[in-house]
Amino acid sequence: MLAFVPIDGHNIAGVLALEPAPEQADFIDTVEESLRKAAKRPSWKPYAIVNGAGKSIGFIVFGYGGGNECGRTEIVTLLIDKFEQNNGCGKEAVRLAVEFLAREGLTRSIHLDYDPGNEAAKHIYAQAGFLERGLDDYGEMLMEKDI
């Protein structure tokens, strides 16, 4: 069972040690890059994804919309460590993200994007009910799910 926990002094080392699988490295920012970006954006909230033993196995950043985007939350980054892949953790993390955001009550729709070459991401998001909305200006596939 996975959970999202705020990143703090107790888990930061484990979070910073997370790495994507080599074939996914070109599709995602490193944890350090994502944390640096999140520190500059108050609406971005990073979390460690931990397993039942409390070990960090992944990382997620939510970008909460404001103003005209109220009720819209973006999954800015989702990374499952290379050693934790291919055992359902990505699928469970996406399911948990939808439940987490629905429980908070601040989100009406979840948005994300992925590189069209990242077939693993496409499969996981589609299984969770995200719908493709077309390519953005950077060539990333946009997906959306209403909750």
Side-chain angles (χ1 to χ4, degrees), residues 35-46 61-66:
L35 286 172
R36 197 171 24 256
K37 290 177 182 179
K40 296 177 184 177
R41 295 173 174 90
S43 64
W44 286 21
K45 305 297 180 203
V61 178
F62 296 118
Y64 293 90

Side-chain angles (χ1 to χ4, degrees), residues 103-124:
R103 209 172 29 253
E104 278 186 323
L106 303 173
T107 301
R108 290 189 307 273
S109 67
I110 305 170
H111 297 247
L112 56 85
D113 61 55
Y114 70 91
D115 185 295
N118 189 344
E119 288 294 322
K122 176 182 179 175
H123 179 73
I124 288 171

